Amino acid sequence: MKKLGALIAVLVLAAVAAVGLASCGGGGGETSGGGGGGGQKGGTLNGTYASFPDYLDPALSYTAEGWTAMADVYVPLLTYKHANGAEGSEVIPGLAKELPKISNGGKTYTLFLRPGLKYSDGTPVKASDFPFAVERMIQLNSGGSPFYLSIEGAEKFAETKQGPISGIKANDKTGEIVINLKAPRGTFTNELGLMFVAPLPKDTPIEDLSANPPPATGPYMITKSQPGKGWEYERNPYWAKANGKAMPDLPEGVVDHAKMTVIRNPETQVDDVEKGTYQWMQNPPPASRYAEVKEKFEGSQFRVEPTISTYYFWMNVNRPPFDDVKVRQAVNYAVDAKALERIYAGQIKSTQQILPPGMPGYEQFELYPHDMGKAEELMKEANPSDMDITVWTDTESPNNEAGEYFNEVLKELGFKTTLKQINADNYFTVIGNQSTPELDAGWADWFQDYPHPNDFFQPLLAGESILQTNNGNFAELDDPAINEKIAKLGEEQLGPEQEAAYAELDEETMKQAPWAPYGTRTLSTFVSDEIDLESVIFNPTFGHYLSSFEFK
């Protein structure tokens, strides 16, 4: 994530911050139809994040923070309905006129670009911008690359970095885009709705643009970015002139401006939202304040948001001592998911598997009920010679506390541990870079990118997803039998037979124990009393939509 994230990860989220006009409730008296309520149109939304997104570049971001930050900025050919819950998982046309025509046994996707679209700098959007976006994403070694390597010629391009990708044909005169896949892919329509491949102007630099985000196609554009500190939005001037009329299913948004500020102390975030200094905090209240905020504000300023997510500890199966499956299984027996429920103040529901509740293919099982005796017995059988390990987690509460708990569990099993807590801004880029030394074990989470179980296997546990940078397969699992099943199921349309096969794959993978999963999480919406809570949309893929916030 996402998500997210992520994703999600996938999955986790994004926010906004500022002063002045927004502090007093926004702009003029015109009522809005863009966000869902009858509140004030205009004003500046002040929001706060606990950490800066991994990237503010659509090709690179793979956390919920980044996806939420850019969901109303970069529109792919397809996108997701601006709605809460399951309705928000519906794929709808974005920059494309219609959903793709699928032919050639599921291997050919044909779309047409809407005419007259422009980027926020006035550059016309062209059909050929799509293959450029795919090539740019692969050249940047994006964690999203594995989703698109099924396109004919994409794997060769990934190896040589020389194009064009033979499987994409774009006609700038007619707007036609034809994508040919090597084999059918049951999730490809969903993946065309992710912003990894949102079209960008062909003169966009092939580098991380988080400090200077590229031109937008959505209702908002990012006008200022200070990595580590915050970023700002204004309305895209070409949304009103062109894009909004061409894409009437996407809302124009209500606020005129938004400013997001990174505040690393979640206690301060809660206090600031209560006082109205900021109108929204993107991350949930800290565990120490969660019950208090929920009791005081639920229904008026606070709402619990269910997610399709898995929180887990990963173990690198290619490094001793975790190259021994008995050691990994011992860790699974030693981790007490109920203890982690307490750490997360009830925001985690314990689970011990890869697929979370609510995901097609989920069937509950418990291979590793908490049993320290069994864990110690397996450790004696394995008798690993290397007991020095490094444990990784980020600095954001309560993930840091979960990492500390994991570290203590490993100590109980006899390991000599070194705990490394990395700033949440770049945690996933650090542990996703294979040049980082001592990547033994650590904390991670994943929120659905789309409602298909492949999303919890291919980017996280398939051998082809092990990348030198922006890696998401932290366990570095590369099991031929599991790879084959992931690939085969990914080609098929999802049905009862496939869901049953994913349930089997879930259990088969957990017998290898590359992870010690411990829960699925709820998130939250917490706003000041100036914001209409009912208008705010929390989408299962992109989190909170900026366009849905409005002042009362």
Side-chain angles (χ1 to χ4, degrees):
M1 226 145 90
K2 12 241 320 335
K3 152 247 15 41
L4 83 91
L7 139 102
I8 346 171
V10 190
L11 266 177
V12 196
L13 311 168
V16 256
V19 279
L21 180 60
S23 310
C24 17
E30 183 184 352
T31 59
S32 164
Q40 302 292 321
K41 185 171 183 177
T44 298
L45 178 68
N46 295 305
T48 163
Y49 277 60
S51 57
F52 195 86
D54 57 339
Y55 298 100
L56 276 183
D57 185 315
L60 287 169
S61 180
Y62 212 163
T63 61
E65 290 88 352
W67 283 18
T68 301
M70 295 185 284
D72 284 303
V73 178
Y74 301 105
V75 183
L77 293 178
L78 308 179
T79 189
Y80 288 86
K81 191 171 183 179
H82 281 50
N84 297 299
E87 186 182 359
S89 292
E90 179 185 345
V91 180
I92 63 172
L95 300 186
K97 290 181 184 178
E98 299 172 329
L99 294 179
K101 176 186 175 183
I102 304 173
S103 58
N104 189 25
K107 293 191 291 185
T108 299
Y109 287 65
T110 303
L111 307 97
F112 284 87
L113 192 68
R114 299 179 195 262
L117 298 171
K118 291 191 175 181
Y119 296 102
S120 53
D121 64 355
T123 303
V125 180
K126 298 180 180 180
S128 56
D129 295 344
F130 172 74
F132 166 76
V134 177
E135 291 170 7
R136 178 178 182 269
M137 176 218 33
I138 293 174
Q139 285 176 299
L140 290 172
N141 297 311
S142 167
S145 299
F147 287 136
Y148 309 97
L149 294 181
S150 57
I151 299 172
E152 284 186 358
E155 277 190 300
K156 182 179 179 181
F157 181 84
E159 293 170 3
T160 65
K161 301 297 192 291
Q162 294 182 351
I165 295 175
S166 60
I168 309 176
K169 305 296 182 186
N171 187 320
D172 286 340
K173 289 185 178 179
T174 64
E176 184 181 49
I177 299 168
V178 180
I179 307 166
N180 288 298
L181 307 182
K182 295 180 294 182
R185 185 167 174 83
T187 57
F188 195 66
T189 296
N190 292 98
E191 290 151 0
L192 286 173
L194 302 179
M195 69 178 74
F196 293 122
V197 291
L200 296 172
K202 287 194 288 294
D203 61 356
T204 303
I206 313 297
E207 61 188 49
D208 173 16
L209 295 179
S210 295
N212 185 26
T217 49
Y220 292 98
M221 58 183 181
I222 298 173
T223 54
K224 182 179 181 181
S225 174
Q226 295 179 289
K229 296 181 178 180
W231 64 100
E232 299 180 24
Y233 302 91
E234 292 182 10
R235 287 189 181 276
N236 175 357
Y238 287 94
W239 184 263
K241 295 177 183 177
N243 299 2
K245 297 171 186 176
M247 295 182 281
D249 289 339
L250 300 184
E252 64 173 347
V254 182
V255 300
D256 288 337
H257 311 275
K259 183 179 178 183
M260 298 161 255
T261 300
V262 175
I263 297 178
R264 302 192 186 278
N265 186 330
E267 298 268 356
T268 302
Q269 288 180 288
V270 170
D271 292 340
D272 285 344
V273 173
E274 285 197 42
K275 290 185 294 186
T277 306
Y278 294 95
Q279 285 87 42
W280 171 46
M281 59 182 289
Q282 177 268 331
N283 49 291
S288 59
R289 300 285 297 277
Y290 185 82
E292 167 203 333
V293 170
K294 186 173 185 290
E295 181 178 358
K296 187 175 180 181
F297 296 109
E298 189 166 27
S300 59
Q301 295 173 228
F302 180 86
R303 190 174 69 207
V304 176
E305 308 289 2
T307 73
I308 308 296
S309 61
T310 298
Y311 277 57
Y312 64 97
F313 302 118
W314 50 270
M315 293 163 279
N316 190 325
V317 303
N318 293 322
R319 292 175 60 89
F322 299 117
D323 56 348
D324 187 329
V325 67
K326 286 186 178 181
V327 175
R328 303 195 300 269
Q329 290 171 339
V331 172
N332 271 272
Y333 279 114
V335 169
D336 183 0
K338 294 297 182 183
L340 285 147
E341 281 186 350
R342 293 189 289 273
I343 288 172
Y344 282 83
Q347 298 172 75
I348 283 280
K349 180 181 178 183
S350 62
T351 182
Q352 284 195 327
Q353 56 198 95
I354 295 158
L355 292 178
M359 175 58 67
Y362 169 78
E363 290 183 13
Q364 185 177 6
F365 61 85
E366 189 178 24
L367 289 179
Y368 307 105
H370 177 56
D371 187 338
M372 280 302 294
K374 180 66 173 175
E376 290 167 357
E377 180 184 321
L378 284 167
M379 287 296 295
K380 286 179 183 177
E381 291 178 16
N383 192 26
S385 57
D386 184 354
M387 296 293 282
D388 293 339
I389 59 172
T390 300
V391 181
W392 300 78
T393 191
D394 75 15
T395 54
E396 196 169 298
S397 177
N399 304 329
N400 58 341
E401 294 154 27
E404 290 164 4
Y405 164 82
F406 185 47
N407 187 63
E408 291 303 312
V409 167
L410 293 170
K411 282 183 178 179
E412 275 192 69
L413 291 176
F415 292 104
K416 182 180 178 182
T417 66
T418 299
L419 180 64
K420 290 199 175 183
Q421 293 191 3
I422 303 299
N423 189 309
D425 294 5
N426 56 10
Y427 174 69
F428 286 106
T429 56
V430 170
I431 68 167
N433 189 326
Q434 301 225 17
S435 66
T436 301
E438 308 301 328
L439 289 171
D440 296 317
W443 168 88
D445 61 6
W446 188 258
F447 291 74
Q448 76 161 31
D449 297 323
Y450 47 78
H452 193 294
N454 176 74
D455 184 48
F456 279 74
F457 285 100
Q458 183 185 355
L460 305 177
L461 293 160
E464 68 176 2
S465 296
I466 301 173
L467 305 174
Q468 187 62 39
T469 58
N470 298 309
N471 176 41
N473 185 345
F474 306 126
E476 295 190 24
L477 184 69
D478 189 5
D479 182 285
I482 290 173
N483 291 342
E484 184 179 352
K485 289 180 182 179
I486 292 172
K488 179 179 181 297
L489 286 170
E491 293 179 3
E492 300 174 8
Q493 295 296 322
L494 193 61
E497 182 180 338
Q498 287 74 26
E499 289 187 27
Y502 275 112
E504 292 176 4
L505 179 60
D506 193 353
E507 189 164 353
E508 178 183 344
T509 306
M510 279 309 303
K511 287 177 180 175
Q512 294 292 321
W515 296 357
Y518 62 85
T520 184
R521 187 171 184 180
T522 59
L523 293 172
S524 62
T525 299
F526 183 38
V527 296
S528 76
D529 62 4
E530 299 170 86
I531 299 297
D532 178 6
L533 178 66
E534 291 187 10
S535 75
V536 179
I537 292 173
F538 180 84
N539 181 272
T541 291
F542 291 115
H544 297 94
Y545 277 114
L546 170 61
S547 58
S548 68
F549 284 83
E550 58 183 64
F551 291 95
K552 293 177 181 176

